[in-house]
């Protein structure tokens, strides 16, 4: 295969329906994501680096064995930080040097295994995370290749990858890692270096999986997707992050090898997962016990796990499927997930994080501790750092590379997938996108540069516009309704030409599929791509959100400061000695009508301890 | 204090509102519980003994350290089996001898700690379960004292208890066990032996708890109730079995020491827990992750943990509170829990068990394995044995001592708390109870022997009769309506006199408190104390239970063979690519009306793989 090291992107398929644009081709210039990215660059990256030093995870690479700190996968968080730094245009040669010093001559690199006094190499594929750690190392290495060209980190990564091929190739250890991640990383390294052997190794790992090579344990083999071969599975299952990273790797392998069957299998899994196992926010995974998907339609809001890393992984998967197929449905899910999970995870100041993203918080809890490691991945608490701290650096790398998710090109023209105030420059085309999306639904695309032959400008019309009317205003001012999917204008564009997309962002009620038992009899409010919630700080008289009832006979309306006001009431049920009674006695008393203030879900928990809920019971009794 | 070794009972308070009756005073002669107890005696006890030998847990007491098998608390299951055998009138001198051989000269006894090659004694109070194991040993010892008088097992237990007092008394290790259980056991040993020091040690453990002596960990200190002192807590929280065993021990201490404040604290915790944290079945604990109570009203049916051991512990607590206060509400919960969790846990043949008792099973799953240890405490599967196999022997000991929960006496007369076909003989009174309860609601009490002065016969009128009419027919044939609570007849009884209680067991709809979000818009059916469920094996055309809708405008009715037929329909929602839509588009299509067959929840999963649900969505759209 041919090396493609020029595109400054996380994913560079050598063949696919759409070609991604690099960080040097797309610049976010203002609005929602510019603010988030600014916080990431000025606060989050340093915050992660500081904590990683404080808890000793960077130090592990130079520390004596007996002083190693953190869980078995702590190395990976250092690598994710380096990846985030690379995409952000920074980097750390100091950390890189320390990592280099810990690499064995044969390429092996891990601070938890394979040294005297530790467990032997690859003696615990189920839980050891050695290949998982390489995966993140390799992704960091690829980011370096693509942002700075060759460098020490890239060399470390490639040595590790060579070691993996030598050790786990045909005739070597016939195993897979308990936590997928190496697969997608190896394909990307193959793309960045042109070395076929990395792709072959990734394909081998995908093929080996699902055949019971990993031990059956408390959570069963589905936990690490070793229950069914990838191409036979019909839905994502088990540990959500593992399932999504594996699916991303399978798409990469399918695309590079032209394996349509494998690609179709992942698309089928994605479809069923989206239809039956995904929260309104785009969040995935409903079990706290094993961080896994539940059965179909098991989506309890108050026990939503919806791990931040699963959201990051879901965006990674959707992006790969979008490039492979060109279908806007994948960008729809990515948008939902970015605005409602990834953006929710991070506090306004960029220094604390949700690990799990609950959709219903019942107790106010206490003021979060800002200077201690949280021993728990609690839904209720943004914490500065966790004992298992995979999420902060995963958010950081996602925000750093976010511009790469906005647009793509193909032989016909340019496609806009996500909307942000931005500048796009690719070949003979330059675009200026002006918008205050998602606060406002108007997206104006001005042509700054264009070839003098016709080409196609495609704009995603989000699926959330269904039932309302989106409109496209052409260069000549003609205006037409556009259905969810893709709106395309094909013409000879001239500099100064403007295309305008008008998306109906007015707040709307959303109801759940009747099979989602946990939210029967409730509705949510969505405004554009944003899911809204009731938060106790906005309720009068110190009331809690479980008193909220809304009336869907009337419509929610925009309020001041990005709020929405929903028609409803605050009504507390009677306390009973036993909470089960004949149905006619089990209702809630009526209460005075009032507007209920709702705020974007991604903004909650920034104003002190509160209760919160996304799904609101209706006044219908 | 004075030794009370004559009562053949698990709980013998030296002072309390009611005095329990012993297994030699109450005999269950037929009906529901007689069948269950027969299976327990003829199948379950041997089954547990065989498995315990097969997996090596009985062998641990004589095995070399390096050959020890099972989890750190495996000893306790051997002790629970011995307790069950003692109440059942059998016992095993062979096992007892082996246990004796493992006891150290100072009374220490544990196969997982305190030997060369093992962790030192009491080096892991959080997770080591050493005191927990003594608790079950002591309960087995007490059972032996009360059924056979002194014996080797009682001596082992008392040596261990003396060791605990010497080691953890004032001036000794200032700690508590991560898993409560020793507290209630020590009080009972004090009652059985008259030795005050055991009571003092139990009181010390209760007093020490809740002050942060145990390490904060992933689950927090609430997990083992070390977050708040017992007398300050307002609700049960954390690991459900731990919370309930601790509360039982606190009641024992409160009763023996006359500590009204402590008793009131536990009653308050019980009240809030019952009003806000208990399933319709009486099951407790909704989190799989840490086997713990959820927040108030977090009671998802499809993720119900409702551990069998928590049900056993809840019955233990309710029984203690009933003896202490005389209030029938405690017998109400015990009845609900016995019929709907304890009876559900065990298969019809007595050889497989639910560890967790879900209220909604969404997938049929596969035929259970009948000859292997289940690595998982799955809700979906009755298994013959578990890696953590606390539940089977807990059910066995409960069934063995069940007659002790039926009745009590006080200075005024006899109280009947649970209804079963039975003979009761205490002092000058003998009663013959005839009933086919809970299939039938008529309970006839015939006086077989009576003193010639007036005394009071009290019968519990179950709380579940509320809204219907229960009637009492007096000796003279007069008939009166009786409200939930206690119905008492005080008179001079003569042999041959009959009192009849007529309980309205017709099936009825039950609705949930509106704050139990997970079951909003659904109803359940209860018939007498029995909770019913829909099970797929009873549905036509291979349909699954998630198609069931019921119409509460009509009433459910008795069907053949203990079934109930509920008016309703089978309707499958359309599949959608995204399961969230404007509420008017999110409904279920109407379908043809038909009767839905329901079966007692405690009978489910005895007819092959099935789906099941207790809470049924209504046809109201």
């Amino acid at each position: 295969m041919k090396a493609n090291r020029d595109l400054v992107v996380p994913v560079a398929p050598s063949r696919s329906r759409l070609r991604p644009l690099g960080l040097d081709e797309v610049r976010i210039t203002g609005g929602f994501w510019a603010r988030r990215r600014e916080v990431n660059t000025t606060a989050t990256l340093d915050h992660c680096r500081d904590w990683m030093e404080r808890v000793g995870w960077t130090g592990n690479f130079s520390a004596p064995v007996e002083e190693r700190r953190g869980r078995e996968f702590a190395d990976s968080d250092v690598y994710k930080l380096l990846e985030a730094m690379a995409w952000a245009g920074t980097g750390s040669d100091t950390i890189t040097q320390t990592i280099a010093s810990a690499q064995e001559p044969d390429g092996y690199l891990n601070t938890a295994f394979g040294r005297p006094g530790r467990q032997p190499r690859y003696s615990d594929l189920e839980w050891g995370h050695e290949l998982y750690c390489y995966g993140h190392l390799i992704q960091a290495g690829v980011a370096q290749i693509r942002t700075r060209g060759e460098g020490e980190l890239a060399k470390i990564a490639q040595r590790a990858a060579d070691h993996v091929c030598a050790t786990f190739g045909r005739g070597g250890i016939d195993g897979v890692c308990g936590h997928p991640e190496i697969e997608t990383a190896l394909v990307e390294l193959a793309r960045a270096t042109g070395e076929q052997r990395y792709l072959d190794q990734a394909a081998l790992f995908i093929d080996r999986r699902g055949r019971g090579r990993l031990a059956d344990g408390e959570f069963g083999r589905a936990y690490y997707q070793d229950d069914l071969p990838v191409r036979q599975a019909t839905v994502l299952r088990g540990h959500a992050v593992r399932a999504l990273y594996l699916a991303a790797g399978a798409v990469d392998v399918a695309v590079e090898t032209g394996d349509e069957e494998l690609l179709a299998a992942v698309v089928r899994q994605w479809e069923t997962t989206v239809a039956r196992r995904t929260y309104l926010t785009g969040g995935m995974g409903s079990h706290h016990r094993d961080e896994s998907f539940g059965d179909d339609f098991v989506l309890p809001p108050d026990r939503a796990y919806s791990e931040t890393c699963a959201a990051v992984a879901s965006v990674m998967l959707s992006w790969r499927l979008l490039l492979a197929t060109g279908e806007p449905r994948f960008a729809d899910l990515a948008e939902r997930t970015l605005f409602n999970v990834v953006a929710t995870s991070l506090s306004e100041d960029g220094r604390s994080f949700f690990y799990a993203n609950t959709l219903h918080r019942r107790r106010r809890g206490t003021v979060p501790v800002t200077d201690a490691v949280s021993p728990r991945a609690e839904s209720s608490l943004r914490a500065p750092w966790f004992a298992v701290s995979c999420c902060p650096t995963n958010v950081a790398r996602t925000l750093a590379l976010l511009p790469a998710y906005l647009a793509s090109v193909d032989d016909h023209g340019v496609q806009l997938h996500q909307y942000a105030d931005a500048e796009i420059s690719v070949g003979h085309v330059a675009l200026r996108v002006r918008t205050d999306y998602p606060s406002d639904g108007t997206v104006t695309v001005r042509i700054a540069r264009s070839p003098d032959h016709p080409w196609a400008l495609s704009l995603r019309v989000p699926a959330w516009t269904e039932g309302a009317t989106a409109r496209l205003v052409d260069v000549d001012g003609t205006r037409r309704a556009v259905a969810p999917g893709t709106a395309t204008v094909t013409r000879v564009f001239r500099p100064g030409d403007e295309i305008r997309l008008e998306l109906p962002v007015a707040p709307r009620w959303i109801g759940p599929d009747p099979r989602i038992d946990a939210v029967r009899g409730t509705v949510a409010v969505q405004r554009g791509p944003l899911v809204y919630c009731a938060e106790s700080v906005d309720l009068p008289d110190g009331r809690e959100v479980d008193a909220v009832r809304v009336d869907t006979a009337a419509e929610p309306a925009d309020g001041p400061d990005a709020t929405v006001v929903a028609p409803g009431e605050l009504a507390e049920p009677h306390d009973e000695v036993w909470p089960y009674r004949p149905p006619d006695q089990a209702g809630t008393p009526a209460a005075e009508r009032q507007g209920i203030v709702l705020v974007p879900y991604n903004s909650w928990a920034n104003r002190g301890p509160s209760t919160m809920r996304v799904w609101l019971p209706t006044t219908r009794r």
Side-chain angles (χ1 to χ4, degrees), chain A residues 181-467:
Chain A
E181 157 66 21
I182 183 82
E183 299 81 0
T184 188
L186 282 172
V187 175
E188 216 53 48
L189 186 63
R191 289 164 172 168
T193 61
E195 299 288 352
Q196 176 77 27
R197 66 180 179 283
Y198 304 137
L199 173 61
D200 294 344
Q201 184 63 46
L204 196 57
F205 281 139
I206 295 288
D207 190 56
R208 276 181 191 158
R209 201 166 204 97
R211 302 174 197 278
R213 281 177 171 80
L214 298 169
D216 192 12
E218 190 188 348
F219 303 150
R221 286 206 175 93
Y223 172 77
Y224 24 50
Q225 296 75 47
D226 200 32
D227 55 333
L228 268 181
V230 177
R231 64 185 77 230
Q232 285 174 27
T234 56
V235 68
L236 298 181
R237 70 235 172 270
H239 188 275
V241 180
R242 291 169 207 242
L244 289 156
Y245 280 169
L246 178 67
V251 173
D252 291 334
V253 167
V255 164
E256 286 308 316
T257 60
D259 187 337
E260 293 295 331
E261 184 199 68
L262 182 58
L263 180 62
V266 179
V267 169
R268 188 176 62 231
Q269 292 162 32
W270 183 93
E271 284 170 348
T272 311
T273 304
V274 169
R276 297 173 168 238
R277 299 188 174 188
T278 302
Y279 282 101
L280 180 63
T281 55
M284 292 185 182
S286 62
H287 288 192
H288 280 242
R289 189 183 66 130
D290 50 359
E291 310 190 306
S292 78
F293 285 98
D295 285 343
D296 289 352
F297 303 113
V298 178
L299 294 163
D302 51 6
R303 290 292 285 170
Y305 201 68
S306 181
E307 184 181 339
T308 299
C309 286
V312 168
S314 170
V315 172
M316 287 168 59
L317 173 60
S318 289
W319 179 244
R320 282 159 175 77
L321 289 170
L322 173 61
L323 292 178
T325 65
E327 295 171 17
R329 57 179 174 158
F330 301 112
D332 283 328
L333 184 70
E335 174 182 67
R336 184 177 291 273
T337 310
L338 286 166
F339 277 117
N340 299 300
V341 189
V342 175
T344 307
S345 167
L346 196 62
S347 65
E348 277 174 359
D349 71 0
R351 297 178 200 277
S352 63
F353 309 84
F354 282 127
Y355 185 115
N357 296 275
T358 190
L359 277 74
H360 184 179
R361 166 75 180 156
R362 292 172 181 265
R363 283 183 297 121
R364 292 198 180 207
T366 49
V367 179
V369 174
T370 56
D371 195 40
V373 173
S374 171
R376 293 172 285 279
E378 276 196 12
S379 318
S380 56
L381 171 77
R382 279 200 193 90
W385 206 250
F386 300 94
V388 174
S389 218
C390 42
C391 298
T393 49
N394 232 346
V395 171
R397 68 175 181 151
T398 303
L399 290 173
L401 60 76
L402 197 77
Y405 289 153
L406 259 58
S408 64
V409 293
D410 65 6
D411 293 344
H412 310 289
V414 178
Q415 302 82 39
L416 300 189
H417 305 294
Q418 305 297 341
Y419 297 116
D421 203 80
E423 291 175 1
I424 296 169
S425 173
V426 49
H428 297 295
V429 174
L431 305 175
R432 184 74 181 93
V433 183
R434 292 279 188 199
T435 185
D436 196 21
Y437 188 86
S439 293
D440 189 81
T442 302
V443 180
T444 306
V445 184
R446 195 164 58 80
I447 310 296
R449 188 171 73 235
S450 176
D452 53 8
H453 56 77
W455 59 275
L457 176 64
S458 299
L459 299 106
R460 179 176 61 96
V461 182
W464 58 255
T465 63
E466 200 186 330

Side-chain angles (χ1 to χ4, degrees), chain A residues 574 576 580-588:
Chain A
H574 299 301
E576 303 284 354
Y580 307 100
R581 308 171 70 76
D584 52 346
Q585 301 169 26
T588 305

Side-chain angles (χ1 to χ4, degrees), chain A residues 8-28:
Chain A
V8 190
V9 293
V11 186
S14 58
R15 47 181 166 181
S16 67
R17 179 76 185 72
L18 308 178
R19 173 177 86 71
L21 298 185
L23 298 182
D24 53 346
E25 296 172 311
V26 182
R27 203 160 63 85
I28 295 179

Side-chain angles (χ1 to χ4, degrees), chain A residues 146-160:
Chain A
R146 294 202 173 130
T147 53
R148 301 206 290 178
E150 275 301 344
E152 183 62 21
L153 187 59
K155 285 182 194 144
I156 300 169
Q158 208 168 336
R159 280 196 297 267

